Amino acid sequence: NAGVTQTPKFQVLKTGQSMTLQCAQDMNHNSMYWYRQDPGMGLRLIYYSASEGTTDKGEVPNGYNVSRLNKREFSLRLESAAPSQTSVYFCASSEVDTPWGQFFGPGTRLTVL
Amino acid sequence: KQEVTQIPAALSVPEGENLVLNCSFTDSAIYNLQWFRQDPGKGLTSLLLIQSSQREQTSGRLNASLDKSSGRSTLYIAASQPGDSATYLCAPAGGTSYGKLTFGQGTILTVHP
């Protein structure tokens, strides 16, 4: 099992450009999450999807959109990138009422110039 | 809003010492609490998950305790090794935000030979 995979691993954008971060999991989990990690701010939840067909805002959703494409895939889109969105982005997945909690992907390091 | 504090922020110890990392959280109505490890430039690896009904959980040299009523969790690392060097993150889940994690800033641990 690959677990949670993310593409790309690194990306550099110019202000105003758009891009989509891809996430896929092969653990048949219902819930998926997007976090960003910034120095001094820790990890913060951007959006989550409790189950296929549903998405909800987290703590810092402004400037982002998400799509739960199917049970396996959850994408994060930046429509018009800003320097404040320079960060490391992590995708995670989990299943309710299991003893294993959330599993995280390796992250995407995004720089917006 | 859940707030999580981890103490100490950084810790440097010689190999072989037993360690205690502390985590406190403001909203005691949690569903579970997860401890993670993060190596530099890497994703998060789940170490232990404690359900709200449990008092502690053990995995190898790691033991995590939970006192939900006082909003505290402790991660105990026995006989520390240089390979334990990493950032340790505490993340309670649930309360009014079921399944969503709120992260502390982490404790940066360095174990020197």
Side-chain angles (χ1 to χ4, degrees), chain A residues 33 35 37 40-43 45 48 57-59 90 96-102 104-106 109, chain B residues 1 31-32 34 36 38 41-46 49 51 89 93 98-105:
Chain A
Y33 313 81
Y35 296 87
Q37 185 175 34
M41 302 295 293
L43 278 131
L45 183 66
Y48 70 103
K57 296 177 181 179
E59 184 183 353
F90 289 102
V96 175
D97 290 333
T98 65
W100 301 287
Q102 291 189 20
F104 278 72
R109 191 170 297 270
Chain B
K1 177 187 171 187
Y31 187 75
N32 59 46
Q34 208 165 347
F36 293 90
Q38 185 176 29
K42 303 292 186 183
L44 278 69
T45 300
S46 181
L49 181 144
Q51 301 290 356
L89 297 162
Y98 170 74
K100 296 186 291 182
L101 299 178
T102 302
F103 284 85
Q105 294 285 331

Side-chain angles (χ1 to χ4, degrees), chain B residues 71-107:
Chain B
R72 296 178 188 273
S73 178
T74 298
L75 180 66
Y76 177 82
I77 303 175
S80 58
Q81 303 170 358
D84 294 331
S85 298
T87 298
Y88 290 80
L89 297 162
C90 163
T96 57
S97 304
Y98 170 74
K100 296 186 291 182
L101 299 178
T102 302
F103 284 85
Q105 294 285 331
T107 293

